[in-house]
């Protein structure tokens, strides 16, 4: 770096110095000595102290047990991010330019010209040498700095200055707690009246004074509380005559004395209690609070105190069925002569147990269950849809729309009507009433081929492997376009053309415990045909695409 460039960056603000710099440059100009130092603090140091001194006073921070604390001008919890940001700026940000003291002297300048003697701010950390900061460069993009025992003046980026030029309050930790809400196993709210609300977490849900609590509201309060930040600091503030311990009269002035304060005590999983007390209003939106182990008086959002003062009825679960969805193993719905029973299968699945045994539509059932569990006493009716979740809770009547939300009972049935593994099928019979024909094929597992049943009487006729493959793909699984009725009745057979089906597909499997599955296909309808399986399953609609697979001739060469 030549002298001209260095001097410009080092605030050569007088015309005489500019002329001198030009002369030196034209005469071959000596080059400024560049120190081996790359950053203001050695990045290899393990920093456990940070002391920042300026005309405003001194801020000292110490790291103990992995946590930073302020010890000067008063004891307080430190903002970890603010301390780390300052240390990172000092040890990671590269020095941009430098000039030796001898060069400065030769040009008629000294450190005092850059406010480095005495410095505007001094930083000392652990075993590192002190770092001094002076004024900004003329373009305001840099700051002059020097290091104890190093004969150079440096130009460093302004982000270093911004990170270290903080007052004591800027280094204070603003978060009230260092815990997540899930770390709280129980908590008490003590009011000024002396009344206490006690909350406890039991098997993942909350109880309040022996009653089931509205867990979402309790969790909401805890989330706001454990994540709250101090909006301002009231005590200590660092004045010279400030006591290390707060007086009872001071607490009373802020409404934080034991008789007046609203106090929340959280019992945490590590066996320690965390506590905060709320006092008088500081302004329209903030209240005084005694926090951080009763070592700080701060102001916080008044909504925290408002939530702590809510009536017990706000936190008591007012639902008709105050349970979590995961704890419901079965529930029933009944209206008219139709009684629906649904049971859980595993963690995520549901099945219909009544009026038929079949897979249920998990998404629909889960949504209906959430609607059931949100019912309150205001939803109760004298008649309507009958709802029950277990013998532990009474059966109630509610408006059907409140639970079903416009759905029919048929929507509870899974649209996956049937699933047959093609590898297990041993016989297929298709009967077409319109053509009065029946085709039957059987699978030879030894030769691994499909044969025509009774082929001896049908010379030249063979099984069509492609047609068989398409039919089997249509039943793996057989999906409905929509469910028309949960369970077929005798009237449905005639109504939907299933009494004398248009097409019947019968499938036998190898398994000993399996039985023939008869797929009956009836009248045409929008986007397909009505169908059922056997004579006791749901009535549903199959698509034209599925029907096409069933209609493909299974036999070649047949007349």
């Amino acid at each position: 770096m030549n002298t001209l460039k260095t001097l410009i960056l080092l605030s050569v603000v007088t015309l005489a110095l500019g002329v001198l710099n030009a002369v030196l440059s034209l005469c071959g100009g000596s080059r400024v000595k560049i120190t081996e130092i790359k950053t203001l603090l050695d990045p290899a140091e393990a920093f456990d102290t940070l002391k920042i001194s300026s005309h405003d006073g001194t801020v000292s921070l110490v790291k103990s047990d992995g946590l930073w604390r302020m010890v000067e001008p008063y004891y307080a919890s430190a903002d970890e991010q603010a301390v780390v940001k300052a240390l990172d700026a000092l040890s990671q940000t590269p020095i941009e330019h430098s000039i030796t003291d001898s060069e400065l002297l030769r040009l008629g300048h000294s450190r005092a010209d850059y406010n480095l003697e005495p410095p505007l701010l001094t930083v000392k950390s652990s075993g590192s040498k002190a770092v001094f900061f002076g004024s900004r460069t003329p373009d305001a993009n840099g700051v002059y700095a020097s290091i104890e025992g190093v004969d150079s003046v440096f130009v460093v980026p302004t982000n270093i200055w911004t990170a270290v030029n903080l007052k004591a309050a800027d280094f204070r930790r603003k978060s009230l707690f260092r815990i997540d809400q899930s770390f709280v196993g129980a908590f008490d709210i003590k009011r000024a009246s002396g009344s206490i609300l006690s909350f406890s977490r039991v098997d993942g849900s909350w109880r309040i004074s022996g009653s089931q609590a509205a867990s979402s509201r309790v969790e909401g309060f805890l989330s706001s509380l454990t994540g709250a930040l101090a909006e301002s600091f009231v005590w200590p503030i660092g004045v010279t005559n400030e006591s290390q311990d707060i007086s009872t009269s001071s607490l009373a002035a802020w409404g934080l004395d034991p008789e007046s304060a609203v106090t929340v005590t959280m019992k945490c999983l590590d066996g320690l209690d965390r506590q905060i007390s709320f006092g008088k209003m500081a302004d329209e939106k903030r209240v005084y609070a005694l926090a951080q182990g009763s070592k700080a008086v701060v102001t916080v959002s008044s909504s925290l105190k408002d939530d702590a003062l809510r009536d017990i009825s706000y936190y008591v679960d007012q639902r008709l069925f105050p349970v979590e969805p995961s704890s419901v193993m079965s529930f029933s719905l009944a209206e008219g002569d139709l009684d629906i029973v649904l049971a859980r299968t595993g963690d995520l699945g549901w099945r219909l147990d009544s009026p038929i045994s079949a897979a249920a539509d998990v998404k629909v059932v889960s949504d209906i269950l959430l609607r059931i569990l949100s019912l309150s006493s205001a939803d109760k009716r004298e008649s309507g849809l009958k709802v029950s979740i277990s013998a532990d809770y009474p059966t109630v009547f509610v408006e059907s729309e409140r639970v079903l939300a416009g759905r029919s009972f048929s929507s509870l049935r899974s649209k996956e009507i049937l699933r047959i593994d093609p590898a297990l099928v041993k016989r297929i019979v298709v009967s077409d009433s319109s053509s009065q024909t029946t085709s039957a094929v059987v699978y030879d597992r030894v030769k691994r081929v499909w044969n025509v049943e009774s082929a001896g009487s049908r010379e030249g006729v063979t099984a069509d492997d492609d047609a068989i493959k398409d039919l089997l793909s249509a039943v793996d699984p057989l999906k409905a376009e929509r469910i028309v009725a949960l369970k077929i009745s005798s009237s449905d057979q005639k109504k939907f053309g299933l009494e004398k089906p248009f097409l019947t597909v019968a499938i036998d499997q190898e398994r000993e415990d399996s039985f023939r599955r008869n797929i009956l296909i009836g009248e045409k309808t929008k986007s397909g045909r009505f169908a059922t399986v056997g004579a006791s399953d749901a009535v549903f609609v199959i698509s034209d695409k599925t029907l096409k697979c069933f209609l493909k001739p299974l036999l070649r060469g047949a007349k």
Side-chain angles (χ1 to χ4, degrees):
M1 175 185 317
N2 60 41
T3 306
L4 177 59
K5 183 178 180 181
T6 302
L7 292 175
I8 290 173
L9 291 169
L10 293 173
S11 182
V12 183
V13 293
T14 65
L15 179 59
L17 188 55
V19 172
L20 177 59
N21 180 42
V23 171
L24 287 171
S25 181
L26 291 172
C27 293
S30 64
R31 294 184 62 80
V32 176
K33 177 183 177 182
I34 300 177
T35 178
E36 294 298 322
I37 297 175
K38 305 297 183 184
T39 57
L40 296 179
L41 288 185
D42 185 354
E45 287 285 345
F47 306 114
D48 54 22
T49 64
L50 180 64
K51 185 174 184 178
I52 302 173
S53 302
S54 67
H55 299 305
D56 295 326
T58 297
V59 178
S60 292
L61 301 121
V62 174
K63 188 176 185 180
S64 177
D65 296 328
L67 299 176
W68 284 94
R69 293 193 60 82
M70 186 188 302
V71 296
E72 190 179 4
Y74 46 81
Y75 286 91
S77 298
D79 184 337
E80 305 277 336
Q81 291 185 343
V83 180
V84 171
K85 183 179 178 180
L87 289 170
D88 282 351
L90 291 162
S91 62
Q92 303 295 330
T93 307
I95 292 169
E96 294 183 338
H97 308 285
S98 64
I99 187 170
T100 63
D101 289 341
S102 59
E103 288 290 350
L104 285 176
L105 181 62
R106 186 173 134 207
L107 298 172
H109 271 241
S110 68
R111 295 189 182 197
D113 296 321
Y114 309 106
N115 284 319
L116 288 169
E117 285 187 351
L120 297 181
L121 185 142
T122 302
V123 177
K124 186 76 169 64
S125 177
S126 304
S128 298
K129 297 176 180 179
V131 176
F132 309 103
F133 289 90
S135 53
R136 288 183 178 239
T137 57
D139 61 6
N141 290 326
V143 178
Y144 298 113
S146 62
I147 300 174
E148 178 185 4
V150 178
D151 64 344
S152 296
V153 172
F154 307 100
V155 173
V156 296
T158 54
N159 71 291
I160 300 180
W161 172 259
T162 303
V164 298
N165 185 32
L166 300 179
K167 299 183 183 300
D170 298 322
F171 277 112
R172 294 188 70 170
R173 177 165 64 88
K174 294 178 177 60
S175 58
L176 303 184
F177 302 100
R178 298 179 186 269
I179 57 172
D180 182 80
Q181 66 194 76
S182 61
F183 199 61
V184 181
F187 66 96
D188 296 332
I189 302 176
K190 176 189 148 317
R191 316 299 183 65
S193 62
S195 63
I196 297 176
L197 292 183
S198 296
F199 298 78
S200 58
R201 195 193 300 267
V202 180
D203 296 330
S205 61
W206 285 94
R207 299 190 66 80
I208 174 173
S209 301
S211 300
Q212 186 71 37
S215 292
S216 60
R217 291 184 171 179
V218 177
E219 291 288 354
F221 172 63
L222 275 181
S223 177
S224 298
L225 189 64
T226 56
L229 302 176
E231 297 190 9
S232 66
F233 292 95
V234 178
W235 173 89
I237 55 176
V239 296
T240 55
N241 62 346
E242 193 168 49
S243 171
Q244 291 291 324
D245 297 308
I246 192 167
S247 65
T248 303
S249 60
S250 296
L251 286 174
W254 293 311
L256 292 170
D257 54 292
E259 292 74 24
S260 306
V262 176
T263 300
V264 180
T265 303
M266 294 179 285
K267 304 178 189 304
C268 301
L269 300 183
D270 59 2
L272 302 177
D273 291 351
R274 272 79 171 178
Q275 190 174 81
I276 184 171
S277 296
F278 302 108
K280 295 179 179 178
M281 295 292 294
D283 55 36
E284 291 183 353
K285 296 183 178 180
R286 300 180 301 169
V287 296
Y288 294 110
L290 183 61
Q292 295 176 343
S294 299
K295 297 296 184 182
V297 176
V298 300
T299 61
V300 297
S301 171
S302 58
S303 64
L304 293 173
K305 183 178 180 180
D306 292 341
D307 285 343
L309 285 173
R310 288 185 183 275
D311 187 75
I312 187 173
S313 61
Y314 176 81
Y315 288 110
V316 171
D317 199 330
Q318 303 292 336
R319 296 177 299 162
L320 292 174
F321 306 111
V323 297
E324 297 304 311
S326 59
S327 66
V328 179
M329 295 295 104
S330 66
F331 67 93
S332 66
L333 305 171
E335 193 169 34
D337 59 355
L338 191 56
D339 197 345
I340 311 295
V341 178
L342 293 127
R344 191 181 292 276
T345 58
D347 293 334
L348 300 175
W350 286 92
R351 73 172 187 272
L352 275 164
D353 276 354
S354 178
I356 59 172
S357 179
D361 188 312
V362 173
K363 185 176 180 181
V364 173
V365 174
S366 298
D367 180 69
I368 286 177
L369 178 58
L370 290 177
R371 289 178 174 275
I372 291 172
L373 298 185
S374 68
L375 295 170
S376 67
S377 56
D379 294 306
K380 292 177 69 174
R381 297 291 185 269
E382 292 296 322
S383 61
L385 179 67
K386 186 165 68 172
V387 180
S388 175
I389 67 166
S390 73
D392 296 330
Y393 295 93
T395 298
V396 297
F397 289 93
V398 299
E399 289 183 1
S400 177
E401 180 65 18
R402 182 70 178 83
V403 172
L404 297 177
R407 300 183 181 93
S408 66
F409 282 146
S410 299
S411 66
L412 295 166
R413 173 71 156 90
S414 170
K415 290 185 175 63
E416 185 177 296
I417 301 296
L418 181 66
R419 182 181 287 274
I420 296 177
D421 185 350
L424 298 179
V425 175
K426 65 179 181 180
R427 185 171 183 265
I428 304 171
V429 180
V430 177
S431 300
D432 188 335
S433 62
S434 62
S435 62
Q436 298 292 310
T437 60
T438 298
S439 302
V441 293
V442 293
Y443 189 64
D444 186 331
R445 298 206 171 274
V446 177
K447 297 181 180 179
R448 298 183 180 181
V449 294
W450 283 96
N451 296 318
V452 179
E453 192 172 52
S454 302
S457 61
R458 306 182 69 176
E459 187 175 350
V461 177
T462 60
D464 189 324
D465 289 338
D466 291 336
I468 295 170
K469 181 179 179 181
D470 288 345
L471 186 149
L472 291 177
S473 69
V475 295
D476 184 31
L478 175 61
K479 289 187 176 180
E481 291 293 292
R482 64 182 187 276
I483 307 295
V484 179
L486 275 178
K487 180 177 173 62
I488 192 169
S489 64
S490 56
S491 62
D492 291 331
Q493 289 184 330
K494 188 172 184 179
K495 179 180 177 182
F496 300 116
L498 296 168
E499 184 178 22
K500 296 179 179 180
F502 157 72
L503 192 73
T504 301
V505 179
I507 301 176
D508 294 320
Q509 299 177 71
E510 289 285 351
R511 294 182 330 197
E512 293 182 0
D513 61 341
S514 69
F515 51 90
R516 173 173 290 185
R517 308 312 299 260
N518 291 310
I519 303 169
L520 311 179
I521 300 169
E523 297 275 351
K524 286 184 179 180
T525 184
K526 182 181 178 181
S527 70
R529 281 183 178 263
F530 295 113
T532 189
V533 176
S536 61
D537 207 330
V539 178
F540 56 95
V541 175
I542 61 168
S543 69
D544 290 330
K545 181 180 178 181
T546 300
L547 179 63
K548 186 177 179 181
C549 293
F550 290 152
L551 287 173
K552 288 183 178 181
L554 299 184
L555 309 180
R556 289 195 188 101
K559 294 181 181 180

